[in-house]
Amino acid sequence: HFCPGSGAFLPHRPSPRSPFKDSMAMEGARNAPTKQGLMLTAAGAVLAASATRSAFVQLSPQPKALSHSAQEPRLAVNEGPQTPSAGSRSERSGVLACALGASAVAAAAARRSARGSRSRGNGLAMRSTATATATKVKEDLSGKLPDCPSTIWKADGIDVENLPKVPATAPYVIDAKKLGEALKGAEPEYFAAERKKIMDTLHEHGAILFKNFESTKNAEGFRNFFEAMELNPCLDPIHTSGLRDMVEKKDGVYEAVNKPSLSQHFVGLHNESTFVKTAMYGAFVCFQPASEGGGEFIIADGAEIIQRMDPDVLKRIYEKKVRISVSNLDLNFIDAVPGDAKKSVMDFFQDLILKAVAPKFDMDLQMIYGSDGSNPYRLQAIEHAQSPINTHPLTGQPVWFCNIHNHSRYLRDRRPCAIPEVGMTDVYYGDLTKIPPEDVEKINKACEESIKTIMMEPGDVILLDNYRVLHGRRTFKGKRN
């Protein structure tokens, strides 16, 4: 995940450490879908397989004013947004790559000013920086990454009945084979020289697919890419859980959900986010497609999803808000406890498990019994009530900012799912009542209609706006990286 170098970052309040206490005071506070790959391990609770894991690097760029100038020259890349061919799933070429993402945190004001003055020059300074980035010995980032930035919430007062049109959507494709003279010299130099135009295009479309680049086929080259783009790495939003393996610690690169046990698990659409922390951008790179097919990367524009959604369903879920459950822990032994002592035992374990889980998951969790109605002794870890719609912090565009496509139990029960019961997720209304299946179906329909399937090859990179574009992956066979 990153924070872009070309985006003007709006000031935002840090998320309170205890959103439950301060929720009434947090104007516009709404939660984004829980991060992939969550896992409660203490006391037997596993929060993860609900949220999917993706390989990624967190980065933080040097923000600059967002430009919408009509005279600004467009990227000399291709005709515009394209939908990559789905391809064959049976061949190596028809598999999706896994990825490494990057997240960025806004840079300090002084640093912004310094970089801003350089970028307003003739571009030579940026090219020089890119060349140095590609050749100098890289600093080892192990143990040095800053925390993921706080989620920026601006969800109150959105007129869901009069949503603005979406002029352009994801993905925009930049194909190295079509760049011609624009790609003279080293690839990192191209990324550095075109950085502002690339970031402006990203803000317009929500995601960019970089195809046929040679330098991004390994972790070092991927790091050259995001450093040339002035995107500096930060930690995974749930790094304290230890669920994501950082396969290239010196470069800040995380691994995706590639474990054999989860290869047949469908990862639904989600943002790399929690109620508390969200990276501004994400970058995903393919090193090796799934060896026996599958694993296609999927994305969907959150601005497009709400345009496609049934108006009544959209209004209802926006007004009611949502709460996301990320784990189930069945404490059925409590049923054998004598009546008078039962409540005390339930309270004891509720408090004990919360204390064990809270330090590992800075997600604003509450431990609640029996929310799904299936078992009065099922203790669920549930996030704070949040809006499923947010306003984009840079563009002001209303966007779907909810992981229901990935976390809904109703949907998981109807598609490939390799998650044990303890890690099963669900999404409720803000008052913890069930979302009707017919509403979930209509939400799913809007999400599915917005999905673009991308068959990534080695070196392909997807840079996405993590507040606007959701992502996931299909099932796969064999090994993928």
Side-chain angles (χ1 to χ4, degrees):
H1 300 134
F2 332 77
C3 295
S6 61
F9 288 84
L10 305 183
H12 63 283
R13 300 182 298 268
S15 296
R17 303 306 291 173
S18 219
F20 277 99
K21 295 180 181 177
D22 302 327
S23 61
M24 298 306 293
M26 289 182 64
E27 238 180 54
R30 306 275 201 258
N31 174 356
T34 58
K35 168 143 201 166
Q36 314 172 307
L38 312 176
M39 221 175 198
L40 290 178
T41 50
V46 181
L47 289 183
S50 50
T52 56
R53 302 181 190 167
S54 295
F56 61 92
V57 178
Q58 333 292 38
L59 312 170
S60 48
Q62 289 66 47
K64 295 184 182 171
L66 184 57
S67 169
H68 295 287
S69 170
Q71 277 107 27
E72 185 68 40
R74 292 290 295 155
L75 278 170
V77 215
N78 54 27
E79 312 77 49
Q82 301 177 15
T83 301
S85 170
S88 167
R89 298 184 60 178
S90 61
E91 300 294 332
R92 174 186 161 286
S93 61
V95 280
L96 169 146
C98 72
L100 306 152
S103 291
V105 195
R111 201 171 167 191
R112 265 185 285 173
S113 175
R115 292 193 184 267
S117 62
R118 280 210 305 270
S119 67
R120 287 190 290 272
N122 60 11
L124 293 178
M126 295 187 70
R127 290 190 183 93
S128 174
T129 300
T131 302
T133 297
T135 58
K136 71 179 182 182
V137 176
K138 301 289 187 182
E139 177 186 6
D140 189 336
L141 299 177
S142 302
K144 299 178 181 178
L145 299 185
D147 201 2
C148 183
S150 300
T151 302
I152 303 172
W153 286 106
K154 190 179 177 183
D156 285 343
I158 298 174
D159 186 356
V160 296
E161 295 179 329
N162 295 284
L163 295 168
K165 297 297 182 183
V166 183
T169 189
Y172 189 92
V173 179
I174 299 179
D175 191 335
K177 290 184 177 179
K178 297 181 180 181
L179 289 177
E181 285 299 307
L183 192 57
K184 52 188 177 185
E187 291 177 356
E189 289 183 319
Y190 165 79
F191 296 132
E194 298 292 321
R195 186 191 62 78
K196 185 180 184 304
K197 294 177 186 178
I198 290 173
M199 296 307 298
D200 285 348
T201 300
L202 178 65
H203 295 143
E204 181 182 357
H205 292 269
I208 298 176
L209 169 61
F210 297 86
K211 288 189 64 65
N212 296 311
F213 285 86
E214 292 295 322
S215 63
T216 51
K217 290 184 176 181
N218 56 48
E220 182 180 359
F222 181 56
R223 178 173 174 178
N224 288 338
F225 162 78
F226 63 70
E227 288 186 347
M229 293 293 296
E230 299 183 19
L231 299 171
N232 303 317
C234 71
L235 290 169
D236 179 349
I238 57 165
H239 71 94
T240 50
S241 69
L243 292 173
R244 289 186 191 275
D245 293 329
M246 188 175 280
V247 292
E248 294 290 345
K249 292 184 179 181
K250 65 183 179 64
D251 295 317
V253 175
Y254 287 87
E255 178 62 282
V257 186
N258 296 321
K259 293 181 178 180
S261 61
L262 293 175
S263 65
Q264 292 304 296
H265 176 72
F266 175 84
V267 178
L269 295 171
H270 61 280
N271 306 89
E272 293 291 344
S273 174
T274 70
F275 178 75
V276 179
K277 298 176 182 178
T278 301
M280 181 63 75
Y281 304 100
F284 300 81
V285 63
C286 171
F287 293 150
Q288 176 191 338
S291 59
E292 298 178 36
E296 299 91 340
F297 197 71
I298 59 175
I299 63 172
D301 187 344
E304 182 181 352
I305 289 174
I306 57 176
Q307 295 280 349
R308 292 179 178 274
M309 199 171 296
D310 179 280
D312 292 334
V313 172
L314 183 65
K315 183 178 180 181
R316 186 157 48 246
I317 197 169
Y318 173 64
E319 291 176 347
K320 287 178 171 288
K321 303 182 184 180
V322 297
R323 294 190 71 174
I324 300 174
S325 170
V326 295
S327 178
N328 298 329
L329 186 60
D330 292 333
L331 305 179
N332 295 330
F333 65 87
I334 294 178
D335 189 41
V337 176
D340 293 343
K342 190 167 295 186
K343 185 179 186 308
S344 296
V345 173
M346 292 177 71
D347 290 346
F348 171 79
F349 280 100
Q350 184 180 41
D351 183 63
L352 178 68
I353 294 171
L354 178 61
K355 287 179 179 178
V357 168
K360 293 188 69 66
F361 299 93
D362 187 5
M363 292 172 54
D364 178 34
L365 295 173
Q366 184 179 17
M367 306 305 296
I368 302 175
Y369 284 102
S371 294
D372 66 359
S374 67
N375 181 353
Y377 305 115
R378 169 166 288 176
L379 188 61
Q380 293 180 284
I382 303 178
E383 285 196 286
H384 186 76
Q386 60 206 254
S387 173
I389 307 173
N390 200 3
T391 299
H392 193 283
L394 299 183
T395 67
Q397 176 79 38
V399 292
W400 182 251
F401 199 54
C402 179
N403 287 351
I404 191 170
H405 185 262
N406 184 51
H407 285 7
S408 167
R409 178 66 183 260
Y410 177 84
L411 296 178
R412 286 195 163 192
D413 285 345
R414 288 159 177 78
R415 64 190 182 202
C417 180
I419 302 305
E421 184 60 50
V422 69
M424 285 297 284
T425 57
D426 208 349
V427 183
Y428 306 97
Y429 281 134
D431 60 1
L432 288 180
T433 57
K434 287 274 190 180
I435 300 175
E438 54 269 26
D439 282 15
V440 177
E441 290 280 7
K442 290 178 180 178
I443 293 170
N444 184 60
K445 182 174 183 291
C447 291
E448 292 287 333
E449 290 175 347
S450 302
I451 285 177
K452 307 296 190 304
T453 299
I454 301 175
M455 306 300 297
M456 295 174 71
E457 293 294 332
D460 287 356
V461 172
I462 295 176
L463 176 62
L464 58 79
D465 182 331
N466 190 48
Y467 273 86
R468 176 174 168 179
V469 174
L470 300 86
H471 64 280
R473 71 129 173 88
R474 302 195 188 282
T475 61
F476 68 94
K477 294 181 179 180
K479 297 180 180 179
R480 69 193 290 268
N481 179 17

